[in-house]
Amino acid sequence: MTTKRFTGRRAVITGAARGIGLATAARFAEDGGSVAVIDLDLAAAQEAAKAIADEFKTVAVGVACDVTRKDQVEAAIEEVAAKLGGVDILVNNAGITRDNLVHKMSEDDWDMVMGVHLRGAFLCTSAAQRHMVAQKYGKIVNLSSTSALGNRGQLNYSTAKAGLQGFTRSLALELGRFNINVNAVAPGFIDTEMTQQTARRLGHDPEEYRQMRAKNIAIGRVGVPRDVANLIAFLCSDEAGFVNGQIIYASGGPETRR
Ligand code: NAP
């Protein structure tokens, strides 16, 4: 059997039944890793895990978990550790948007977005780091966004994504001594259900919206989930062992204020 980049590594990816999370789980599996697909819906998580296991001939498990619920997160990480034999990699990817201008934004819109992105990343990290600290090895990647730099109509999301940057830097300082790397990726526009929903909400056809957005991207196209998955895989590889506490933008161009 050939040894690949993630042979023997066990990766947990939240919100991985579709989009960037699914592409990331598949990327780890392609390079020999075992993966846990965590998502709200058990059937969707299991279906994604089965497709990955069948395609890449690796171990993949689907686990239902709402990342905002401590009891569910603790149980999910323990289930994954038991089924995969441990946890080496955590990707805090689960995310939602509840966009609105400040005067129309409800408390629920604010709390839900903070809950999934910030509380979710905190709870998953708390549970997973125990395994990583004990074995003195781990990789954590958090999903930030170019929206962290400010985006009209995304006060809650932008604040949460900026929060994840501070979370990443502080965690890197705390966990570095245990040989755990913590970094964040900050994607620009990636074609997923999330951005397609945004297009529909703004009254655009998703394809028309993609073309419109691509015009403002230096590289001349919008991103696809695998663009982000490739970067996450690099940050979780041992080649990136000296990269710690960094926020890497993946947006087809340098970040400027929009
Ligand atoms: P997506 O297609 O909407 O997928 C997000 C996944 O997260 C869904 O499967 C969703 O499950 C799951 N999820 C939501 N709330 C959850 C919870 N409480 N517990 C567990 N899972 C939950 O989104 P995406 O575009 O792939 O985005 C992935 C990450 O990248 C997010 O953090 C997003 O903010 C970030 N990001 C995306 C873009 C972009 O342009 N797409 C850009 C920058 C950053 P359900 O389907 O059941 O709700």
Side-chain angles (χ1 to χ4, degrees):
M1 197 182 82
T2 48
T3 303
K4 297 181 180 172
R5 182 157 62 155
F6 295 113
T7 298
R9 300 288 184 219
R10 291 99 19 132
V12 182
I13 305 98
T14 68
R18 67 174 195 225
I20 294 170
L22 176 59
T24 303
R27 192 71 191 84
F28 285 127
E30 188 179 342
D31 276 358
S34 330
V35 297
V37 170
I38 286 188
D39 214 293
L40 281 173
D41 181 45
L42 179 62
Q46 286 180 334
E47 198 182 313
K50 184 174 182 322
I52 289 171
D54 289 349
E55 183 171 359
F56 301 110
K57 312 288 173 243
T58 187
V59 177
V61 295
V63 179
C65 167
D66 178 344
V67 297
T68 67
R69 295 277 309 272
K70 185 175 179 187
D71 53 342
Q72 293 188 21
V73 170
E74 297 274 329
I77 296 294
E78 288 323 300
E79 182 182 338
V80 170
K83 287 186 172 161
L84 301 186
V87 176
D88 302 299
I89 296 168
L90 170 69
V91 182
N92 284 311
N93 168 81
I96 58 166
T97 52
R98 292 287 182 276
D99 298 351
N100 230 326
L101 295 173
V102 62
H103 65 286
K104 292 188 207 158
M105 187 170 285
S106 69
E107 262 182 82
D108 265 6
D109 291 338
W110 179 267
D111 290 344
M112 279 188 73
V113 168
M114 294 303 150
V116 177
H117 296 274
L118 291 177
R119 183 180 161 82
F122 164 64
L123 292 177
C124 292
T125 301
S126 296
Q129 59 84 33
R130 282 183 217 129
H131 294 273
M132 296 176 180
V133 167
Q135 69 201 8
K136 292 211 165 32
Y137 181 92
K139 309 280 180 190
I140 298 173
V141 173
N142 302 310
L143 267 289
S144 180
S145 164
T146 51
S147 294
L149 301 171
N151 200 18
R152 188 172 187 276
Q154 287 201 312
L155 192 62
N156 48 3
Y157 184 81
S158 164
T159 303
K161 292 307 198 187
L164 280 170
Q165 298 195 0
F167 179 81
T168 299
R169 292 194 190 95
S170 300
L171 203 54
L173 289 170
E174 290 188 20
L175 298 183
R177 72 187 61 184
F178 302 106
N179 192 31
I180 300 169
N181 299 66
V182 187
N183 292 289
V185 296
F189 188 105
I190 309 296
D191 183 23
T192 67
E193 184 57 33
M194 182 179 273
T195 44
Q196 288 169 21
Q197 274 173 16
T198 305
R200 288 190 283 268
R201 194 174 42 77
L202 296 173
H204 296 287
D205 164 65
E207 176 53 31
E208 180 191 284
Y209 190 60
R210 273 194 290 279
Q211 286 175 16
M212 206 170 86
R213 293 294 300 259
K215 287 190 184 126
N216 295 322
I217 298 173
I219 211 85
R221 66 169 176 89
V222 300
V224 293
R226 194 172 166 91
D227 288 321
V228 184
N230 285 335
L231 175 57
I232 295 172
F234 171 67
L235 290 172
C236 293
S237 73
D238 291 334
E239 291 163 323
F242 205 53
V243 183
N244 195 24
Q246 301 304 306
I247 318 299
I248 318 281
Y249 284 82
S251 54
E255 283 324 305
T256 53
R257 284 193 58 80
R258 286 164 292 170

